[in-house]
Amino acid sequence: MATPNTSEPKEQAKTKSSKPTWYPPATSREYEEPILKVLNSLTKEKVEFRPMYGKSVKWYNCGPTVYDAAHLGHARNYVSQDIIRRILIDYFGFDVHFVMNITDIDDKIIIRARQNHLLDNLRQTSTALTQELVSQVIEAWDAFFTSKLLKSIPNVPLPATESPEDLQASWDQINDKEKSDVEWWNSAKAADEKFTLNVASLRSTQAGLIAAIEALKSGDSSQEQAQVLIDASKDVLASYLDKKYGSTLTDHSISRTLSSYWENEFMKDMERLRVLSADTVTRVTEYVPEIVSFVERIVKNGYGYATDDGSVYFDVNAFDGGKGGASQKQQEEWSHFYAKLQPTKKGNEKALEEGEGALSTGASKRHPADFALWKASKPGEPAWPSPWGPGRPGWHIECSVMATEILGENMDIHSGGIDLEFPHHDNEIAQSEAFHDCRQWVNYFLHTGHLHIEGSKMSKSLKNFITVQDALAMYTPRQLRLAFLGQLWSSPMDFKEATMTEAKSWEATLNNFFSVAKALILEQRSKGAASDGKHHYEQAEKDLAAQLRKAQYEFRQALSDSFNTPQALDRLLDIVSKTNVYLARGRSNINVAVVETVANWVTKMLRMFGLGEGPVHRGTIGWGDAESGEGSGAVDREVLLLPYLQVLSTFRDNVRQLARQQAPSKETLELCDKLRDEDLAPLGVALDDQDDGKALVKLVNPETLLKAREEKAAAAAAKAAKKAAQAETERAKRRARMEKGKIPPTEMFQVPNVPANTYGSYDENGVPLTDAEGAELAKAKLKKLKKDWDIQKKAHDDYNEWVNAGMP
């Protein structure tokens, strides 16, 4: 048997064993992948963002000093950082470890806690209005006036002596200057931003004193009168009591109670603003031992020194220009640099003093720029043990220590408000690089811009201070976030009515788009998968798909450009606008699948910004619903459907009745309008009449529909009122015109319609012929009188006709 020949022709075998050439796709220059860049405060330029550990990002954020309510400036800062954090995680796919501190021990906290405690104690012990209490308030007023006005305002009218009479005379002069010398008054406000607030406190106290003295004269020494005086004088009493008795307080839970309360309030505010919780929250009081060790190492490295009073200061002169890298035996020589963020502010004594706190004098430090690492505690201040004696941490050291404990010797991002740039963040950098003996402790510093109110700095003295709770009473969390998204996070923001009007307009545009898109999608799904034999993907659909692709690319470009949210938001609104133009073609001429694709992407991006509500479900269009989360229990079908069925049943009954009565079609149409405008609105159902004669059913928040109905009714009422007013004006004009014709023309030239002895004789129609002395009237005069008679004749005829018609 012959062996079969299994060999193939050489050329054929080569063809079977070879692979076709694969060509790597060429990226369109129009759609090149943008590089993520961030505005880095260390360079004052946009630089490429490159985390040290691949897609893992270490981020430390300066949290609040908790001694008062969070305000709108805090909201802008923390919401803006929350937006950036969400972009990094949910858009660019980074894994972020976000750390935020709580400053729960600080000069401001200590002072406020002591003042509140002493005021509360005074209220509790003042069971009656006494001369002693009045004298105490007068003494407090004198001290407040002297310290807050006489010693802090330039060119202030000084008293001849410190007697109560001379102080009062000086105060009277200052009070008068508000109207008599506006230029001086404005210069005082410029010199001290709290000037008007301090004046208001002094005025309030004086008013309270006058009322208290009158009450004592009338024999009213009740506890109620005592409380009224204390409340009116609380601002001047607070500083007075603290100065007099603050050092006697030894219960340091007073400070902890205050900081704990305001920390909880801050966290509630952030939750209301939809700010994500930090992955790690640190509190200064929990890290005091680590702070002591940190300070010891800085001193050991030659960049800190202890003073005789038990404080420890950072030696700026030793650090600035000092050789670095010795502890790590680095080959390359380099020097430390102080004030990397704001080198021009190195000698800014005012900023440095504010950074040290109101309870610090700095009398024992070597150089003006040196700052406290550890503060020796004075009587009345919380204290912890240390090698230098009882004390507490300086403000700047806390962040360096807690960031190091959680994130290690360096980090990718450090963030905070622009007001912290110097000296706080510059001092953080210096002491951290002194501790770690490193050249760059932070790679990217992000600072959010200032917030102003209607062009002015937010201040209680200007009466434009808005707390987070105040803001949320006026606007929704979504509206505030939209307003912040509409501004560059790093730029100053002017919060004004026009800003919020624009944010509401954006929200309304998106609301309308989502409601239409959802209605179309639900309607399409209700029809099932039936095909009409057409693919409905013509040029209009291709154009919209191309516009979406372009919007998505430009959106990425915007966010890659240092998180340019105003531009990114504009891309979203633009694609919504283009889709609305497409929808205007009419329901029968659109491809719902293309609209759904746009709506899905817009929804995803808005939720990425933190604008959504409730849990995320695949295919959800729009903001979502905060109340539709899982775990709320099974839906009661009867409770859910009955309101809708009752409306449907009532409508059916009314239609049947009209049919039996053979009522005109107008009444049926009015019944349909009532169903749309009155019955379905409270149920959250909107019917939009379409060009094809079929209504588009939309599910909308009932409050939105009811508000729209109220606004429509108000507009209609205003229009009707305006029309009625115009009609009444016309009636009044006609009445006035008719009243002029009340006099018959035969009597118009007779007394009392003309002065006595004006005319002497008349013709048969009552037209004058001669004057009172019997002289014939001139022809021109006679001609004018006849013309006036003809006019009055017509007016009188019109008047009679008007009267006969019932004077409408």
Side-chain angles (χ1 to χ4, degrees):
M1 182 176 179
T3 304
N5 184 5
T6 57
S7 63
E8 299 180 16
K10 186 176 182 181
E11 190 173 329
Q12 185 178 350
K14 181 179 179 181
T15 302
K16 278 196 170 185
S17 62
S18 63
K19 294 181 179 179
T21 303
W22 178 80
Y23 301 95
T27 303
S28 168
R29 290 186 178 181
E30 190 180 352
Y31 288 91
E32 286 184 358
E33 178 68 14
I35 296 172
L36 174 58
K37 293 185 177 183
V38 300
L39 180 61
N40 190 353
S41 297
L42 289 164
T43 64
K44 302 296 186 285
E45 295 176 340
K46 295 174 185 177
V47 296
E48 183 179 350
F49 181 64
R50 293 190 295 179
M52 295 176 289
Y53 302 100
K55 298 292 282 187
S56 294
V57 176
K58 297 193 292 182
W59 184 345
Y60 183 89
N61 174 50
C62 270
T65 300
V66 282
Y67 70 100
D68 206 343
H71 54 67
L72 198 56
H74 291 121
R76 198 272 167 117
N77 177 45
Y78 293 108
V79 171
S80 295
Q81 292 179 38
D82 181 69
I83 290 168
I84 294 174
R85 180 183 173 194
R86 289 171 182 268
I87 292 170
L88 285 175
I89 296 171
D90 296 331
Y91 189 77
F92 287 112
F94 288 99
D95 299 313
V96 177
H97 184 184
F98 189 85
V99 182
M100 184 182 75
N101 77 293
I102 299 292
T103 298
D104 59 350
I105 186 64
D106 176 82
D107 288 27
K108 294 176 181 176
I109 295 172
I110 295 169
I111 293 170
R112 180 65 61 83
R114 291 193 317 209
Q115 290 180 349
N116 288 353
H117 175 78
L118 291 168
L119 268 175
D120 288 343
N121 188 55
L122 181 64
R123 286 191 180 96
Q124 291 171 11
T125 56
S126 298
T127 57
L129 178 63
T130 63
Q131 185 58 51
E132 182 184 359
L133 177 61
V134 171
S135 299
Q136 190 175 30
V137 174
I138 292 173
E139 188 177 338
W141 188 95
D142 291 348
F144 192 92
F145 175 59
T146 302
S147 63
K148 301 296 184 182
L149 263 64
L150 296 184
K151 293 184 179 180
S152 62
I153 304 300
N155 302 320
V156 68
L158 295 173
T161 68
E162 293 186 2
S163 68
E165 294 77 16
D166 286 343
L167 286 174
Q168 182 62 43
S170 177
W171 164 246
D172 290 340
Q173 291 182 60
I174 292 174
N175 246 334
D176 292 342
K177 283 182 178 291
E178 183 175 10
K179 294 181 179 178
S180 65
D181 193 346
V182 176
E183 184 178 350
W184 181 90
W185 191 267
N186 289 334
S187 68
K189 291 195 293 185
D192 182 1
E193 65 177 19
K194 294 184 178 179
F195 171 73
T196 54
L197 197 65
N198 291 334
V199 168
S201 297
L202 289 165
R203 287 173 176 170
S204 174
T205 303
Q206 278 213 332
L209 281 167
I210 292 170
I213 292 169
E214 288 299 318
L216 285 175
K217 286 181 180 178
S218 66
D220 185 359
S221 59
S222 63
Q223 184 176 14
E224 182 182 355
Q225 288 291 346
Q227 301 304 318
V228 169
L229 175 59
I230 293 171
D231 289 341
S233 315
K234 61 183 180 181
D235 292 333
V236 301
L237 278 171
S239 56
Y240 168 81
L241 293 171
D242 185 54
K243 187 174 182 179
K244 195 168 184 179
Y245 304 111
S247 61
T248 66
L249 299 178
T250 57
D251 182 4
H252 300 317
S253 66
I254 294 170
S255 294
R256 287 196 297 273
T257 300
L258 178 79
S259 61
S260 177
Y261 172 81
W262 285 117
E263 178 187 341
N264 288 332
E265 290 301 302
F266 172 81
M267 292 301 186
K268 290 176 186 176
D269 286 343
M270 293 303 105
E271 185 177 357
R272 294 186 192 106
L273 290 169
R274 311 290 193 264
V275 173
L276 295 172
S277 300
D279 298 312
T280 305
V281 174
T282 62
R283 297 173 186 83
V284 182
T285 53
E286 298 171 350
Y287 282 84
V288 176
E290 289 82 359
I291 290 172
V292 171
S293 299
F294 201 96
V295 173
E296 284 184 300
R297 182 163 164 182
I298 291 176
V299 173
K300 182 181 177 183
N301 288 351
Y303 298 118
Y305 59 90
T307 59
D308 292 340
D309 67 351
S311 297
V312 181
Y313 287 90
F314 187 82
D315 193 334
V316 171
N317 285 356
F319 176 79
D320 196 15
K323 297 299 179 184
S327 64
Q328 300 175 22
K329 298 181 180 179
Q330 296 180 9
Q331 299 297 320
E332 182 184 355
E333 289 189 0
W334 52 274
S335 301
H336 289 296
F337 187 95
Y338 176 67
K340 286 183 174 182
L341 294 167
Q342 288 289 349
T344 60
K345 290 188 176 181
K346 284 184 183 181
N348 190 322
E349 292 186 12
K350 183 180 178 182
L352 290 166
E353 287 176 7
E354 289 177 355
E356 290 300 272
L359 296 174
S360 302
T361 62
S364 59
K365 62 182 180 181
R366 295 174 184 171
H367 312 289
D370 294 350
F371 54 90
L373 299 172
W374 182 262
K375 298 180 179 182
S377 291
K378 299 184 288 294
E381 298 176 8
W384 286 263
S386 80
W388 316 284
R392 55 191 176 87
W395 177 35
H396 314 297
I397 195 69
E398 60 186 57
C399 292
S400 295
V401 175
M402 292 185 289
T404 296
E405 287 295 317
I406 305 301
L407 299 176
E409 62 184 15
N410 50 28
M411 70 188 78
D412 297 296
I413 298 174
H414 194 324
S415 61
I418 190 66
D419 54 307
L420 299 179
E421 197 170 26
F422 184 88
H424 184 54
H425 286 158
D426 266 324
N427 289 353
E428 267 191 59
I429 293 172
Q431 63 201 9
S432 299
E433 292 179 355
F435 176 88
H436 294 293
D437 192 21
C438 65
R439 167 174 2 205
Q440 187 165 290
W441 179 54
V442 175
N443 292 333
Y444 303 91
F445 243 114
L446 309 184
H447 287 104
T448 54
H450 283 298
L451 180 133
H452 292 87
I453 307 294
E454 297 287 351
S456 300
K457 181 179 179 181
M458 185 167 64
S459 168
K460 290 181 179 178
S461 61
L462 294 177
K463 297 182 180 179
N464 64 356
F465 190 84
I466 304 174
T467 66
V468 170
Q469 292 190 25
D470 292 337
L472 289 174
M474 296 183 286
Y475 310 107
T476 66
R478 182 186 303 137
Q479 288 165 353
L480 288 171
R481 188 170 285 247
L482 276 169
F484 297 146
L485 277 164
Q487 310 286 325
L488 284 173
W489 60 272
S490 54
S491 298
M493 176 181 180
D494 191 12
F495 188 88
K496 50 190 177 183
E497 187 176 345
T499 307
M500 296 312 300
T501 299
E502 187 174 38
K504 289 179 179 179
S505 173
W506 294 336
E507 183 183 39
T509 296
L510 292 164
N511 277 338
N512 183 64
F513 171 67
F514 288 141
S515 63
V516 172
K518 286 191 287 187
L520 289 169
I521 293 166
L522 286 171
E523 184 181 68
Q524 183 72 17
R525 288 175 182 169
S526 68
K527 294 178 181 178
S531 171
D532 62 358
K534 298 178 182 179
H535 55 69
H536 297 287
Y537 208 93
E538 306 295 344
Q539 191 58 47
E541 287 71 32
K542 293 175 184 177
D543 290 343
L544 184 57
Q547 289 166 345
L548 173 61
R549 184 165 57 250
K550 184 180 180 184
Q552 290 170 328
Y553 178 70
E554 291 176 347
F555 185 86
R556 180 172 288 271
Q557 279 185 313
L559 294 188
S560 297
D561 183 21
S562 193
F563 317 111
N564 189 331
T565 55
Q567 200 173 89
L569 184 59
D570 185 63
R571 294 303 88 210
L572 293 177
L573 292 168
D574 184 65
I575 191 61
V576 166
S577 175
K578 286 180 168 62
T579 308
N580 285 337
V581 171
Y582 172 75
L583 289 170
R585 291 158 51 89
R587 179 161 48 182
S588 59
N589 296 312
I590 62 171
N591 186 325
V592 176
V594 180
V595 176
E596 184 174 9
T597 301
V598 174
N600 275 327
W601 180 69
V602 173
T603 295
K604 185 178 178 182
M605 294 306 99
L606 291 174
R607 292 191 74 101
M608 180 269 296
F609 283 143
L611 292 164
E613 303 279 356
V616 180
H617 299 295
R618 182 176 177 82
T620 297
I621 301 294
W623 312 113
D625 186 356
E627 298 180 358
S628 64
E630 296 177 8
S632 58
V635 175
D636 188 326
R637 187 168 176 269
E638 183 177 335
V639 171
L640 178 66
L641 294 178
L642 195 56
Y644 300 89
L645 296 177
Q646 286 173 333
V647 167
L648 177 62
S649 176
T650 301
F651 178 71
R652 175 178 178 272
D653 294 341
N654 291 334
V655 170
R656 283 161 57 88
Q657 173 126 12
L658 290 176
R660 290 194 189 100
Q661 296 171 351
Q662 296 184 340
S665 58
K666 179 184 175 183
E667 293 187 28
T668 305
L669 292 174
E670 288 174 350
L671 192 63
C672 291
D673 289 343
K674 179 180 178 296
L675 174 70
R676 178 193 62 199
D677 299 333
E678 298 180 24
D679 301 333
L680 291 177
L683 299 175
V685 178
L687 300 179
D688 273 3
D689 294 329
Q690 302 290 301
D691 55 354
D692 60 0
K694 299 176 183 177
L696 180 64
V697 182
K698 298 194 296 186
L699 298 179
V700 183
N701 188 307
E703 291 182 7
T704 302
L705 288 177
L706 291 174
K707 185 178 180 181
R709 189 178 74 183
E710 289 170 4
E711 290 173 352
K712 183 179 178 181
K719 185 177 180 181
K722 183 178 179 182
K723 187 176 180 181
Q726 288 174 340
E728 181 57 34
T729 301
E730 287 301 317
R731 278 195 296 271
K733 287 180 181 178
R734 187 180 184 195
R735 189 178 295 111
R737 193 168 61 251
M738 291 297 105
E739 287 294 331
K740 289 180 180 179
K742 186 175 182 179
I743 301 169
T746 55
E747 300 175 7
M748 66 181 291
F749 299 118
Q750 306 280 351
V751 176
N753 301 315
V754 296
N757 300 320
T758 301
Y759 301 112
S761 61
Y762 304 86
D763 67 7
E764 67 276 10
N765 293 323
V767 178
L769 298 174
T770 62
D771 62 15
E773 296 177 357
E776 289 187 2
L777 298 177
K779 289 183 179 180
K781 175 71 173 178
L782 188 59
K783 184 178 180 181
K784 182 179 184 306
L785 292 174
K786 286 182 177 180
K787 184 178 179 180
D788 290 345
W789 190 94
D790 290 339
I791 293 172
Q792 186 64 21
K793 172 74 167 58
K794 184 178 185 312
H796 187 64
D797 291 343
D798 291 343
Y799 172 78
N800 289 331
E801 184 180 340
W802 178 63
V803 171
N804 292 333
M807 295 185 291

